[in-house]
Amino acid sequence: MKRLIVNADDFGIHPAVNKAVSIAFEKGILTSTSLMAGGEAFDEAVSLARSMPELGIGVHLTLVGGLFTVLPAKEVPSLTWEGGHLCNDYLELIKRDLAGKISVDDVYREWDAQIQKVMDTGLTVTHLDGHQHMHMWNHFFPVTLALAKKYHISCMRVPDEKLLFGFHLSPAGLFRFASKNGLSLMARSHRGALKRKGILCNDHFWGMMYGGHFYESRMARILDHLEEGVTEFMCHPSADQKAMEETFHWGYEGERELQSLTSPLVQKKIKEQGIRLISYKELGRPDD
């Protein structure tokens, strides 16, 4: 059976993302989203989530992105050296971690606070994933695993995209391709630990090389060749691309991603291929 989880990252980071999640769920193929506890539009996202009880809600564990921490900055100083907030770039975080400047205890307590903040809303948490996939970084993965077990969260994203996919002969393209493969190999290496702990995960993954640019044509092409098992599409929709770019400068085309998620062509292909749309909350059900 071909099963597909369609997840929107960064829920709660901005009203434009919140609106896009609502539209993509109500009018499109979105089945799941990842809630960012430190996002400035967190309260609005929680309210929207309560109005969409069938939407799967994960926790988007965050250590980067220039956001404020859930804990006071002074309580997690190794994570908030840039003016009292998280650093902007995962490369800077990794460099500091490799230099021994990141406290794993800070990571544990901040992520624990993020999960607890989401749990305190009364929402059911279906899975864990990470902003810029830092939940899979080798030094932090044991923290992710420990917190999943502490909070009885039974599913986790494994961002393991096909290694030969996305090769492009340009400096930027080669760097992105190499980064994607490094992360994919790292994520793949953690599958055994997840299985031993009884934590379920996706079999296949798309959206890393297409991050912020998951166009309708790309989505349709992947759907034509979707593999058996559970696939996750990671998406970054927005209802106001200009506002997002003015705030975060990511270069994402969120409005085009929203168009992909509500595309009649994409919905037609899912129906024709007999693909079952699910969220992470359905992975553990006996009939799955």
Side-chain angles (χ1 to χ4, degrees):
M1 182 183 293
K2 298 176 181 179
R3 293 175 290 170
L4 177 62
I5 297 166
V6 185
N7 191 89
D9 284 15
D10 306 329
F11 192 39
I13 198 171
H14 192 282
V17 173
N18 292 350
K19 183 176 180 180
V21 167
S22 180
I23 294 170
F25 175 73
E26 297 291 348
K27 300 181 179 180
I29 64 169
L30 193 74
T31 62
S32 176
T33 190
S34 305
L35 182 55
M36 188 176 274
E40 291 191 5
F42 174 83
D43 290 340
E44 180 191 57
V46 170
S47 179
L48 284 170
R50 288 176 178 148
S51 72
M52 301 181 287
E54 294 303 311
L55 180 67
I57 304 292
V59 178
H60 203 47
L61 299 171
T62 304
L63 294 178
V64 296
L67 304 174
F68 290 103
T69 49
V70 170
L71 291 176
K74 64 182 180 182
E75 294 186 17
V76 283
S78 73
L79 305 178
T80 55
W81 70 90
E82 291 195 353
H85 53 74
L86 298 168
C87 69
N88 287 314
D89 191 280
Y90 75 94
L91 289 175
E92 180 62 26
L93 181 72
I94 288 172
K95 284 193 296 184
R96 286 181 66 88
D97 186 50
L98 292 174
K101 296 179 179 179
I102 301 296
S103 163
V104 175
D105 181 62
D106 283 0
V107 174
Y108 182 95
R109 288 183 298 103
E110 173 58 24
W111 277 356
D112 183 66
Q114 290 178 17
I115 296 172
Q116 189 63 58
K117 182 177 178 179
V118 176
M119 290 283 193
D120 286 347
T121 67
L123 294 172
T124 299
V125 173
T126 59
H127 70 284
L128 295 177
D129 58 37
H131 193 44
Q132 297 185 18
H133 309 294
M134 287 295 94
H135 71 299
M136 283 283 148
W137 177 243
N138 279 344
H139 198 195
F140 306 150
F141 175 70
V143 173
T144 320
L145 203 57
L147 289 170
K149 296 307 290 183
K150 175 181 177 179
Y151 287 100
H152 307 288
I153 299 171
S154 61
C155 298
M156 191 181 301
R157 168 193 286 167
V158 176
D160 176 9
E161 201 164 71
K162 291 187 177 299
L163 297 181
L164 297 180
F165 174 74
F167 180 78
H168 192 270
L169 274 176
S170 71
L174 288 172
F175 176 78
R176 189 173 179 86
F177 180 73
S179 299
K180 181 266 295 185
N181 280 348
L183 174 61
S184 291
L185 288 169
M186 189 177 295
R188 189 176 300 178
S189 74
H190 296 320
R191 286 189 180 275
L194 291 170
K195 186 175 182 178
R196 287 191 295 273
K197 294 293 185 179
I199 297 174
L200 303 170
C201 59
N202 52 298
D203 301 307
H204 317 291
F205 180 81
W206 296 96
M208 202 181 318
M209 288 300 292
Y210 289 158
H213 310 279
F214 211 154
Y215 308 143
E216 177 190 58
S217 59
R218 293 171 169 177
M219 199 171 283
R221 187 163 57 248
I222 293 170
L223 288 168
D224 281 337
H225 301 92
L226 204 71
E227 297 175 81
E228 297 289 325
V230 177
T231 300
E232 180 184 347
F233 282 1
M234 177 186 69
C235 305
H236 297 84
S238 166
D240 189 336
Q241 188 171 305
K242 182 180 178 182
M244 287 293 292
E245 186 61 20
E246 288 174 350
T247 304
F248 298 106
H249 315 295
W250 292 342
Y252 284 0
E253 296 178 85
E255 290 181 32
R256 288 192 66 179
E257 290 218 3
L258 178 56
Q259 188 272 330
S260 300
L261 293 170
T262 56
S263 160
L265 172 65
V266 167
Q267 295 182 61
K268 180 182 177 184
K269 284 187 176 292
I270 288 172
K271 185 176 181 179
E272 289 176 345
Q273 298 285 341
I275 297 165
R276 182 180 174 193
L277 289 170
I278 66 168
S279 68
Y280 276 103
K281 65 183 175 182
E282 296 169 276
L283 284 190
R285 292 180 181 174
D287 62 342
D288 286 338

